[in-house]
């Protein structure tokens, strides 16, 4: 049976690469983005309009895919936020936007697609997190908006791992590494292709016992 994956934030970068690689592996790919017309997807990829910060948009997509099984949900959509994130220069509205996009949205998307995931049996939810969200690894400070959102996302993953265990749904928080994307910049160490290839192997090999864990792109545990 053909497996299916739903990817948020699939218009570019890591999300786009996930769509390309899973399609090449003969998965049914649901690539979701706010403006599908801005991106060229290969034939065979199902493209959907989705604004993860809009509950109506989430509900509409979930309804349109009602009755379909989703084997893998990748909550990739996220933002960095304002460049002004140090003490004395943060903006409340920007902080709220980052939290809505990076924390609340992945929770709401997962919630909306819970029945689709349960239908697949032994499905997986992946939260694309960041080492910047690790409290134990924070040796520099700064980046208050982005760091706090990824720390909170890790808790969402850990919490959902308990909540969805009864449905046989595994939840992982993955750090993709420093990747050459619009967010990571040109100086980053990894290409999106390399990062996604590693994460796909980690997703496929992680046992149910790892549900709720914070892992690097190779599936190794990271400090909370």
């Amino acid at each position: 049976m053909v497996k299916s994956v739903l990817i948020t934030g699939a218009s570019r970068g890591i999300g786009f690469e996930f769509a390309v690689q899973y399609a090449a592996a003969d998965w049914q790919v649901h690539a979701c983005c706010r403006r599908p017309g801005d991106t060229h997807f290969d034939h065979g990829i199902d493209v959907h309009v989705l604004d993860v910060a809009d509950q109506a948009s989430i509900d509409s997509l979930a309804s349109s895919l009602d009755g379909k099984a989703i084997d893998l949900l990748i909550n990739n959509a996220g933002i960095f936020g304002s460049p002004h994130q140090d003490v004395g220069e943060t903006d409340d509205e920007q902080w709220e936007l980052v939290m809505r996009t990076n924390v609340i949205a992945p929770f709401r998307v997962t919630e909306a697609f819970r029945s689709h995931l349960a239908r697949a049996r032994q499905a997986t939810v992946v939260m694309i997190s960041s080492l910047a969200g690790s409290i134990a690894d924070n040796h520099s400070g700064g980046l208050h908006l982005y760091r706090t959102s990824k720390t909170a996302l890790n808790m969402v993953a850990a919490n959902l791992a308990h909540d969805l265990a009864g449905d046989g749904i595994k939840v992982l928080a993955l750090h993709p590494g420093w990747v050459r994307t619009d967010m990571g910049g040109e100086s980053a160490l990894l290409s999106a292709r390399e990062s996604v290839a590693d994460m796909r192997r980690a997703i496929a090999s992680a046992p149910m016992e790892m549900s709720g864990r914070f892992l690097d792109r190779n599936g190794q545990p990271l400090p909370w």
Side-chain angles (χ1 to χ4, degrees), residues 121-125 157-158 160-172 202-213 215:
R121 304 188 183 211
Q122 298 183 327
T124 302
V125 175
L160 283 174
H162 294 292
D163 297 335
L164 303 182
D167 292 326
I169 300 170
K170 177 175 58 185
V171 184
L172 304 172
I203 292 166
S205 62
M208 187 66 179
E209 291 72 26
M210 295 295 283
S211 188
R213 301 293 296 275
L215 310 173

Side-chain angles (χ1 to χ4, degrees), residues 96-178:
E96 289 167 1
L97 177 61
V98 171
M99 295 298 285
R100 172 166 292 280
T101 306
N102 293 2
V103 184
I104 298 173
F107 177 83
R108 293 302 183 197
V109 171
T110 304
E111 187 177 52
F113 283 92
R114 180 176 183 174
S115 64
H116 305 71
L117 293 159
R119 184 181 292 272
R121 304 188 183 211
Q122 298 183 327
T124 302
V125 175
V126 172
M127 307 294 191
I128 299 301
S129 185
S130 171
L131 189 60
S134 169
I135 296 172
D137 190 70
N138 185 353
H139 305 296
S140 64
L143 299 180
H144 285 268
L145 282 62
Y146 187 70
R147 283 186 185 277
T148 54
S149 74
K150 292 303 184 179
T151 303
L153 179 63
N154 288 348
M155 177 56 83
V156 168
N159 230 28
L160 283 174
H162 294 292
D163 297 335
L164 303 182
D167 292 326
I169 300 170
K170 177 175 58 185
V171 184
L172 304 172
L174 290 183
H175 166 54
W178 188 18

Side-chain angles (χ1 to χ4, degrees), residues 10 19-20 26 80 111 149 174 200 206:
V20 169
D26 296 324
F80 182 77
E111 187 177 52
S149 74
L174 290 183
R200 286 181 56 227

Side-chain angles (χ1 to χ4, degrees), residues 26-95:
D26 296 324
W27 282 55
Q28 179 181 13
V29 176
H30 298 285
C32 306
C33 43
R34 285 187 298 168
R35 295 181 294 273
D38 293 348
T39 304
H40 175 69
F41 289 97
D42 293 337
H43 179 71
I45 294 178
D46 295 323
V47 184
H48 306 276
V49 176
L50 176 64
D51 181 350
V52 297
D54 181 354
Q55 186 65 49
S57 180
I58 295 171
D59 292 341
S60 177
L61 179 58
S63 178
S64 72
L65 296 176
D66 188 38
K68 295 184 181 296
I70 301 294
D71 295 276
L72 174 60
L73 168 60
I74 301 178
N75 284 300
N76 168 73
I79 60 175
F80 182 77
S82 166
H84 306 293
Q85 299 195 21
D86 290 334
V87 174
E89 62 179 25
T90 59
D91 177 83
D92 285 0
E93 289 187 4
Q94 272 289 316
W95 207 332

